[in-house]
Amino acid sequence: MTESTVPSAADCAVLWPVATRWEDNDHYGHVNNVTYYSYFDTAVNGWLMQSTGLDIRTLPAIGVVAETSCRFLSQLSFPDDLQVGIAVERLGNTSIVYALSIFRVDGENLTPAAAGRFVHVYVDAETRRPTPVPAEIRAVVEALGQ
């Protein structure tokens, strides 16, 4: 997906449900920009835990967010229901680059609200030095395709 492309649900290997919360709205009555990053984080880690069947926090290597970005396309507000689209842009030796999208559920339609990027770099849980992506994570990410 290019920077100017509006995301489509068809471009996403996974759609992860996320509900907005009352506290997500800011003074202006819409979801605050920083909360979009929380939706990305929740979707990626929730999907990883469900698809591996593991509590990823207990693995000897953990994914830390080294880079993230978000392009805002339309306003969200509580009580919107959302779907976060997950696709893999790149799977490296020690990192994974995800292409992410946030869609507002509008009845049968998914309306694009944001497009983002999320880079997980895997580090040893104790030393915090880069380490290969754990085999359990690599297997589910590879299954998404690139």
Side-chain angles (χ1 to χ4, degrees), residues 14-37:
V14 171
L15 289 171
W16 190 263
V18 174
T20 56
R21 304 163 303 172
W22 177 259
E23 67 186 38
D24 294 346
N25 282 3
D26 63 15
H27 182 73
Y28 302 108
H30 62 253
V31 170
N32 189 271
N33 61 315
V34 299
T35 307
Y36 289 64
Y37 293 97

Side-chain angles (χ1 to χ4, degrees), residues 91-144:
L91 173 59
N93 183 46
T94 62
S95 64
I96 303 168
V97 180
Y98 294 97
L100 302 165
S101 305
I102 298 175
F103 301 96
R104 179 186 315 98
V105 178
D106 292 321
E108 298 290 317
N109 300 315
L110 296 177
T111 302
R117 189 168 186 265
F118 197 82
V119 180
H120 259 165
V121 173
Y122 281 82
V123 298
D124 181 276
E126 291 183 24
T127 67
R128 297 300 202 249
R129 300 291 308 149
T131 193
V133 174
E136 302 90 340
I137 303 248
R138 180 173 291 282
V140 297
V141 170
E142 283 176 341
L144 287 185

Side-chain angles (χ1 to χ4, degrees), residues 53-78:
L54 300 170
D55 182 344
I56 60 173
R57 298 170 296 179
T58 64
L59 293 173
I62 57 173
V64 295
V65 177
E67 179 183 331
T68 188
S69 65
C70 185
R71 185 167 43 96
F72 303 96
L73 303 170
S74 66
Q75 180 173 281
L76 297 172
S77 185
F78 175 82

Side-chain angles (χ1 to χ4, degrees), residues 9 11-17 43 47 50 83-87 101 103 144:
D11 297 327
C12 305
V14 171
L15 289 171
W16 190 263
W47 171 76
Q50 181 184 64
Q83 293 280 330
V84 177
I86 303 172
S101 305
F103 301 96
L144 287 185

